[in-house]
Structures are given as structure tokens and as C-alpha cells.
Amino acid sequence: MEIARLSVQHPNLTAWVIDDFYANHEFFTPTYLRELRAKSQAINPHLAFLPLMYFGEMRPSFVEDYRGVIDGVVVAYLQDREEIERTWAILNDAPIPPHAELSYPWNKLSRAGDFGMASQSTTVLPANRYEVSFLERDDFYRADNRLPLQATAGR
């Protein structure tokens, strides 16, 4: 409500952002945001809410759950053009380019013996050469905060 009051006094204040929004989405539920926005919009109906998200957090389920309580998103730290195109498609209800991902919850500790597995059946057509590509990416950093632990691709 304070941001909304400030936005009435300072017309250049047109939106507010919550950083690391998705990491806290269990707290900022659609129901809770609906309450926050109702209070904010009662003071300034033109003040927008734009949560900060990361490209990897943009999923159709998020858009479906939150479309009625946000005005847009600030999306940060893209890895490549594919992420931009995929995110644009998700936010605009366009067909989503095929994408497969295995992920582990960032806020849960792993233990020895934990693993993930996926399989895909396919028909192999006659060709001179076959290629399967995988991308592995880890966004956690070492204690010295300089280099990612892993960022490899294999064929």
C-alpha cells in the first residue's frame, strides 16, 4: 500500500517488482497477491506489478496460475535465444517449442544415492550419421563465487 501511495505522489513510479519472486511463490500465492493488488489498486489502479523471474522459471503452469494477479514480468539471466523464444511463447499463449528438462529443486539438499532418470523411445531412420545432444547446466557456484561447478555439452 505504501508503494501505491508513493506512486500517486510520484507519477514516474508506474510499477513495482519483487525480486526472486518464483523462489518465494509458496508465500506469494495467487490468493495472497490478489489481496495485495486489491489494496494497491484501490489507491492507484494504474500501478503495475511485475515479478522478477528467471528464464528457467517461466512455465505454462506459472502463467496459468498467476495471469490474473500480475501485469507482466521482468525476466533475467537468459542463457540463449531459445530461452527468449520459449518464454515469449509461454507469455503469449503461443505454441511452445519442444523442450525437455530434468531439474532438481534448488532449495532441497541432495544425498548420496539420489538420481534422476528419463527415457525416450524413437524410431531411427537410415542415415549416414546419427547425433544426440545433451546440455548439462548448473547455476550454483563454488565458494569462491567465480566459476560454475559444471557447464558441459556432450554428443
Side-chain angles (χ1 to χ4, degrees):
M1 289 176 29
E2 290 302 317
I3 294 171
R5 287 187 192 105
L6 283 171
S7 73
V8 172
Q9 295 172 5
H10 304 279
N12 286 343
L13 178 55
T14 59
W16 58 288
V17 175
I18 295 177
D19 191 11
D20 293 327
F21 178 81
Y22 194 77
N24 297 292
H25 74 279
E26 290 176 1
F27 178 79
F28 293 109
T29 64
T31 301
Y32 182 55
L33 284 178
R34 195 169 286 108
E35 293 172 23
L36 286 178
R37 285 185 44 92
K39 292 175 182 178
S40 170
Q41 303 238 318
I43 297 166
N44 182 353
H46 303 291
L47 183 64
F49 171 57
L50 308 169
L52 178 73
M53 306 278 294
Y54 300 96
F55 278 89
E57 297 167 340
M58 297 303 304
R59 292 181 168 71
S61 60
F62 169 80
V63 173
E64 196 59 40
D65 291 345
Y66 285 86
R67 75 171 60 231
V69 294
I70 64 174
D71 298 298
V73 291
V74 176
V75 188
Y77 302 116
L78 73 145
Q79 299 294 320
D80 53 35
R81 181 163 185 80
E82 180 183 328
E83 283 189 339
I84 294 172
E85 291 169 355
R86 183 173 185 280
T87 300
W88 184 92
I90 290 169
L91 294 174
N92 289 281
D93 295 324
I96 301 169
H99 178 79
E101 176 180 281
L102 298 176
S103 63
Y104 188 82
W106 69 270
N107 57 351
K108 300 213 188 277
L109 292 175
S110 61
R111 295 185 173 89
D114 287 349
F115 69 96
M117 184 174 90
S119 66
Q120 174 66 51
S121 298
T122 187
T123 302
V124 178
L125 301 175
N128 292 331
R129 180 173 180 217
Y130 300 94
E131 182 177 309
V132 176
S133 297
F134 299 92
L135 174 65
E136 177 183 357
R137 182 169 59 208
D138 189 336
D139 62 355
F140 288 94
Y141 287 82
R142 296 182 204 183
D144 63 14
N145 229 6
R146 288 184 293 159
L147 298 172
L149 293 174
Q150 298 176 13
T152 60
R155 294 179 196 265

